[in-house]
Amino acid sequence: MTLEQVKKELKGYKGRTIKIMEVCGTHTASIFKAGIRSILPAEIRLISGPGCPVCVTPSAYIDKLVEYSLKENHQVLTFGDMMKVRGSEYSLTQAKALGGQISYLYSPLQSLALAKQNPQTNYIFAAVGFETTAPLYAILLEEMEKEGIRNLKLLIAVKTIVPALSYLCEKEEIDGFLCPGHVSVIIGSKIYEPLAKKYQKPFVVTGFEGEHILASIYEIMTQLSTEEYRVKNLYTSAVKEEGNEKAFGAIMKYFEPCDAYWRGIGTIPGSGLRLREEFLKYDAGSEEAFAEETLPKGCSCTDVILGRIQPIECPAFGKRCTPMDALGPCMVSSEGACGIWYKNR
Amino acid sequence: MHIDMSYGSGGKQTTSLINEVFVKHFSNPVLQKMEDSAVLTVKEKIAFTTDSFVVTPMFFKGGDIGKVAVCGTVNDLLMMGANPKYLTAGFIIEEGASLTDLEHIAASMAAAAKEAGAQIVAGDTKVIEGKGGIYINTAGIGEIEREGISISACKEGDIILLSGNLGEHHTAIMSHRMEIENDIKSDCAPLKEIVMNLIMAGIDIHCMRDVTRGGLATVLNEVSASSSCKVEIEERALPVSPQVKGFCDILGLDPLYMANEGKLIAVVAQKDAKRALQIMKESRYGENAAVIGTIQAGSKVVMTTAFGGSRVIDVLYGEGLPRIC
Amino acid sequence: MCVAIPGKIIEIHGDTAKADIMGNIFEANISLVDAKLGDYILIHAGFAIEVVQTETAQEMIDIFAELDEVIRNDTGAGKEGA
């Protein structure tokens, strides 16, 4: 089978509308970059799921970071992703303009070096992400322990994907899932098997090239037509059945599951990670940063994240809500469904 | 030696700064008269522009803030079909800046101006409190060699050429900031040879733009909006070096949105496209030039992706920061 | 949700490796993987998260070969899929 044949087969699909969710924001970005939607017929709808920390991080979390950044002798460290997300009042970019001490980093370990260089400054690391990034925080904590670092704390908003997938399967009508490639590197492909079995849906682990994604969509369509649902790993160069056990072990050493609030979705039981009690001294008050909230009036991000509507069906889309002045989180992120649709409108 | 507030007092230190740094490097008959303003002779029609420059770090692979400050203004003049003749340079210097750095910056400004055939004929210096930063404003006058080149003059069927690889300035700056080792140099350069060769050869140029902040995506959107046309480009045709591509991949950046300091697009009549490409390739800084797309009736910028799909290319929103997600 | 790119290890000092990603030398912490000199590692935010196959090209060939199998299953001509 060639790529051209797969393209042709998919293009020729004429049946009921199929909703496929790409859970991971980086997949959303790849789909956009490769122009995959233009290759698919209208009957195959790709829905951008909740796997984008920028989209699902509640505003209370941003508010807490903003508050820290404006506090004397404090500095907030973050990945570039979070700079544009708005809290209830300001984004970190705006807080920086107001005198907030905020720097963006590429690697969590850079925060360790900073903390050592400037013992007078209290650093707050915005530890967001999913299972892919969680083991990095585990190593950071390990190093902090080793070196006795006391002026670096983590504000944690780490989420886990399997409970979120169960939630989506329970509540929403989605026909199949493109499983996040790099989360799967850590948690493995096998972990989705109970979901595939219980909910009778295709779960395909996929990489980030256009070929990966198109082949995975084809796999989902085939499973749907044969009504044989299973987990399929089409990213075997990186994802093992059992995942990276060493990394997973590192996560479990420092973290334990907790309920987590997903902006736009709500609280999903067991879908977050918090520090184990003995490591709480490294926590910057993560629990307080998770107040439940209602989305701004007129914002349909919930329906968008859950795939009930396309971004363009939101009444605020492109009018009251644009990348320059985003109403909801899906418009802020370059991976957010609305942000991507706006650019492609 | 470091510059302190006394260098901005207007007294002896100011004079020595002007003489030992600026006059020494920029040396030309107009400047040396040290009058309150430069008196110039120019052709009838001129182009006139200004730009300010803030770059951190001030020195990077392939250039420094001084070179960028001259190239930026020179290129803006060239894009209007003007031959750059005279420049001014205004410096805002934070106390603590190194005198040696300032001299290096002045020397590279002089070298870039010389390459572009322009003279720096007036200048100004202010010293402010701060942490040793240097900010430069340049203004420039160029004599119009070809009239009618305009962002709103693109026509259906025109061909779009890009003068070389995308993203190199941005990558060089960011690599420096993030301490990532590679051989990528800023592309910062005066594009005089390319432009003058195109004009001399009588190429029917409808529009030229230098591709700076906001990247190619932003420039093409300006073309589409101003000329009320659709811009179609081919991803496969875009010149990007493998190193820049690797750099972008790991930081989640897109070369389409990255800054350049020595690249231009030229939109030319279809009949001249082949010749224009040849001329670009044979000109200095144009060896990687490529035909990247066409002008069509309609609106928006649309790219055929390497994968065979198509997507709309929008302008850049906010700052392009490295992403992990 | 997570950007990660393969790079080739060219140097190792303790838990830190230097990895070459198309001519860009990034430092990566390798304590989450068992990696040796010359291995390709998948790098996410300064950390190796897995040792990966060197060639994604082969993976593409495999994927499309597998799709063939899927089709054969469809028509009942092939063996049972995994």
Side-chain angles (χ1 to χ4, degrees):
Chain A
M1 189 128 194
T2 65
L3 179 63
E4 289 314 311
Q5 283 171 298
V6 170
K7 281 185 188 170
K8 213 175 135 201
E9 292 261 341
L10 288 173
K11 192 115 207 171
Y13 172 77
K14 299 241 182 316
R16 71 175 177 95
T17 298
I18 301 296
K19 288 205 234 172
I20 298 172
M21 178 176 277
E22 87 273 4
V23 180
C24 160
T26 310
H27 276 148
T28 307
S30 300
I31 288 166
F32 169 65
K33 274 198 165 176
I36 301 252
R37 276 199 179 82
S38 69
I39 295 169
L40 298 176
E43 289 79 11
I44 303 178
R45 268 169 70 165
L46 295 178
I47 297 161
S48 307
C52 155
V54 172
C55 300
V56 297
T57 301
S59 48
Y61 181 83
I62 303 296
D63 292 346
K64 187 92 185 162
L65 290 173
V66 169
E67 188 189 315
Y68 272 124
S69 79
L70 295 166
K71 230 168 145 178
E72 209 177 319
N73 294 331
H74 281 68
Q75 186 166 15
V76 168
L77 305 172
T78 174
F79 295 124
D81 310 52
M82 300 303 287
M83 293 293 288
K84 291 182 212 169
V85 192
R86 199 152 70 175
S88 56
E89 209 169 343
Y90 301 115
S91 67
L92 290 176
T93 303
Q94 289 165 330
K96 195 162 176 252
L98 294 171
Q101 295 294 311
I102 300 159
S103 303
Y104 64 81
L105 303 179
Y106 166 67
S107 165
L109 284 183
Q110 289 173 293
S111 65
L112 195 73
L114 282 170
K116 278 197 277 190
Q117 278 162 25
N118 309 299
Q120 304 310 319
T121 307
N122 294 303
Y123 289 96
I124 308 295
F125 192 96
V128 297
F130 293 85
E131 289 96 327
T132 323
T133 319
L136 282 51
Y137 301 135
I139 300 299
L140 174 64
L141 288 160
E142 193 178 285
E143 293 293 320
M144 284 162 67
E145 283 267 277
K146 228 187 278 173
E147 310 223 11
I149 302 280
R150 287 285 171 270
N151 59 329
L152 170 61
K153 284 186 174 156
L154 278 60
L155 194 69
I156 296 164
V158 180
K159 293 184 166 63
T160 54
I161 212 65
V162 174
L165 286 172
S166 312
Y167 179 93
L168 289 166
C169 287
E170 287 286 343
K171 302 243 171 180
E172 306 296 327
E173 302 276 319
I174 292 158
D175 296 295
F177 292 90
L178 296 174
C179 300
H182 293 141
V183 161
S184 302
V185 165
I186 307 296
I187 65 177
S189 57
K190 218 174 157 176
I191 200 163
Y192 305 107
E193 277 172 12
L195 290 172
K197 209 168 164 192
K198 182 172 176 194
Y199 297 105
Q200 289 291 296
K201 286 181 199 296
F203 284 79
V204 180
V205 177
T206 188
F208 296 86
E209 301 295 332
E211 286 87 346
H212 278 132
I213 293 165
L214 220 53
S216 302
I217 294 169
Y218 187 79
E219 167 72 24
I220 289 175
M221 296 304 288
T222 309
Q223 288 192 25
L224 289 170
S225 77
T226 57
E227 296 181 17
E228 278 178 44
Y229 308 105
R230 59 184 173 263
V231 174
K232 182 83 193 167
N233 180 7
L234 292 181
Y235 192 25
T236 51
S237 67
V239 177
K240 295 183 203 139
E241 256 192 18
E242 68 283 5
N244 179 344
E245 287 169 321
K246 200 170 174 183
F248 197 74
I251 300 176
M252 294 328 286
K253 185 178 169 197
Y254 290 93
F255 295 94
E256 62 187 14
C258 64
D259 296 350
Y261 179 75
W262 301 56
R263 191 173 186 171
I265 299 180
T267 300
I268 303 178
S271 68
L273 291 174
R274 66 177 173 212
L275 284 174
R276 290 184 182 278
E277 206 179 336
E278 60 265 47
F279 304 111
L280 276 178
K281 58 184 174 207
Y282 298 115
D283 188 275
S286 309
E287 223 162 302
E288 303 150 40
F290 281 89
E292 297 240 352
E293 65 187 293
T294 46
L295 289 171
K297 215 163 167 260
C299 168
S300 313
C301 276
T302 303
D303 294 333
V304 170
I305 290 176
L306 297 176
R308 294 176 194 148
I309 63 166
Q310 313 251 38
I312 209 157
E313 296 170 60
C314 169
F317 180 84
K319 299 187 182 85
R320 281 205 301 139
C321 185
T322 67
M324 282 82 71
D325 192 13
L327 200 58
C330 298
M331 186 62 91
V332 182
S333 165
S334 51
E335 294 174 23
C338 297
I340 285 173
W341 277 70
Y342 186 86
K343 286 187 197 150
N344 220 353
R345 74 200 183 283
Chain B
M1 273 281 284
H2 290 88
I3 293 166
D4 58 43
M5 294 303 284
S6 67
Y7 283 82
S9 64
K12 179 132 178 60
Q13 280 97 333
T14 310
T15 312
S16 78
L17 189 67
I18 291 170
N19 285 330
E20 281 157 39
V21 178
F22 301 121
V23 175
K24 177 171 148 197
H25 288 283
F26 300 161
S27 153
N28 60 64
V30 185
L31 184 70
Q32 266 144 355
K33 285 191 179 142
M34 301 295 270
E35 303 285 2
D36 268 359
S37 55
V39 177
L40 311 168
T41 311
V42 290
K43 276 197 205 168
E44 196 173 290
K45 200 151 196 173
I46 60 162
F48 183 32
T49 187
T50 181
D51 206 343
S52 299
F53 298 84
V54 292
V55 189
T56 316
M58 287 191 286
F59 296 88
F60 44 83
K61 264 189 215 150
D64 57 49
I65 187 173
K67 188 174 177 189
V68 172
V70 168
C71 294
T73 290
V74 158
N75 290 343
D76 282 347
L77 293 170
L78 287 163
M79 295 309 114
M80 293 307 293
N83 188 7
K85 285 286 170 194
Y86 303 110
L87 302 174
T88 67
F91 292 80
I92 295 183
I93 302 168
E94 290 182 350
E95 60 180 335
S98 138
L99 201 58
T100 326
D101 283 356
L102 189 63
E103 248 204 279
H104 280 303
I105 290 167
S108 57
M109 289 178 81
K114 189 175 173 204
E115 187 182 337
Q119 294 179 344
I120 300 171
V121 291
D124 178 54
T125 309
K126 293 285 179 293
V127 180
I128 60 168
E129 290 177 346
K131 292 179 184 164
I134 297 174
Y135 311 98
I136 305 174
N137 170 276
T138 54
I141 288 173
E143 294 173 339
I144 298 283
E145 295 288 341
R146 168 77 69 85
E147 287 190 51
I149 296 175
S150 161
I151 185 91
S152 52
C154 302
K155 292 188 181 60
E156 201 181 323
D158 284 356
I159 303 294
I160 308 165
L161 295 102
L162 173 66
S163 68
N165 293 352
L166 290 174
E168 288 172 356
H169 178 72
H170 203 127
T171 305
I173 295 281
M174 212 164 234
S175 301
H176 187 110
R177 284 192 206 157
M178 300 184 69
E179 296 173 17
I180 292 159
E181 297 167 40
N182 54 40
D183 305 327
I184 303 163
K185 287 194 193 82
S186 165
D187 60 344
C188 164
L191 299 172
K192 180 160 168 175
E193 198 175 309
I194 293 179
V195 172
M196 287 304 149
N197 286 350
L198 290 173
I199 291 175
M200 293 313 161
I203 298 293
D204 187 2
I205 308 165
H206 293 168
C207 161
M208 279 192 288
R209 270 275 152 130
D210 55 343
V211 186
T212 54
R213 278 183 308 177
L216 181 67
T218 303
V219 169
L220 294 177
N221 272 283
E222 286 164 0
V223 168
S224 166
S226 300
S227 290
S228 307
C229 62
K230 178 181 177 187
V231 172
E232 281 189 356
I233 57 167
E234 284 278 340
E235 188 171 21
R236 279 184 199 279
L238 296 177
V240 181
S241 76
Q243 274 198 328
V244 168
K245 187 178 181 316
F247 184 87
C248 289
D249 281 351
I250 192 145
L251 296 177
L253 300 169
D254 187 342
L256 276 173
Y257 293 94
M258 291 169 75
N260 310 272
E261 288 294 345
K263 294 289 149 29
L264 63 82
I265 58 153
V267 180
V268 305
Q270 195 176 11
K271 63 172 172 56
D272 285 348
K274 219 174 149 186
R275 212 154 50 93
L277 179 65
Q278 194 58 34
I279 291 165
M280 271 197 189
K281 280 179 173 290
E282 284 164 6
S283 303
R284 196 168 182 200
Y285 309 118
E287 63 276 12
N288 295 316
V291 168
I292 60 160
T294 57
I295 302 290
Q296 302 293 339
S299 62
K300 296 180 192 173
V301 180
V302 177
M303 180 167 84
T304 303
T305 68
F307 188 64
S310 78
R311 65 164 164 126
V312 175
I313 307 291
D314 205 348
V315 294
L316 175 70
Y317 292 99
E319 219 182 333
L321 297 175
R323 303 186 293 124
I324 60 141
C325 296
Chain C
M1 87 210 318
C2 312
V3 174
I5 295 295
K8 187 184 182 181
I9 297 185
I10 53 168
E11 256 177 60
I12 297 182
H13 304 282
D15 278 342
T16 308
K18 280 193 173 181
D20 183 332
I21 302 166
M22 292 198 260
N24 298 278
I25 313 298
F26 278 76
E27 273 198 1
N29 179 293
I30 51 169
S31 55
L32 295 167
V33 296
D34 295 310
K36 56 182 191 309
L37 213 63
D39 280 351
Y40 280 78
I41 46 174
L42 196 57
I43 304 167
H44 167 65
F47 283 73
I49 55 169
E50 190 55 280
V51 176
V52 294
Q53 286 171 20
T54 48
E55 284 288 332
T56 49
Q58 185 55 42
E59 184 178 51
M60 296 296 172
I61 293 166
D62 293 346
I63 288 174
F64 288 100
E66 278 196 53
L67 291 183
D68 269 336
E69 228 168 89
V70 170
I71 307 248
R72 279 202 299 276
N73 289 342
D74 249 5
T75 55
K79 61 178 171 57
E80 196 68 17

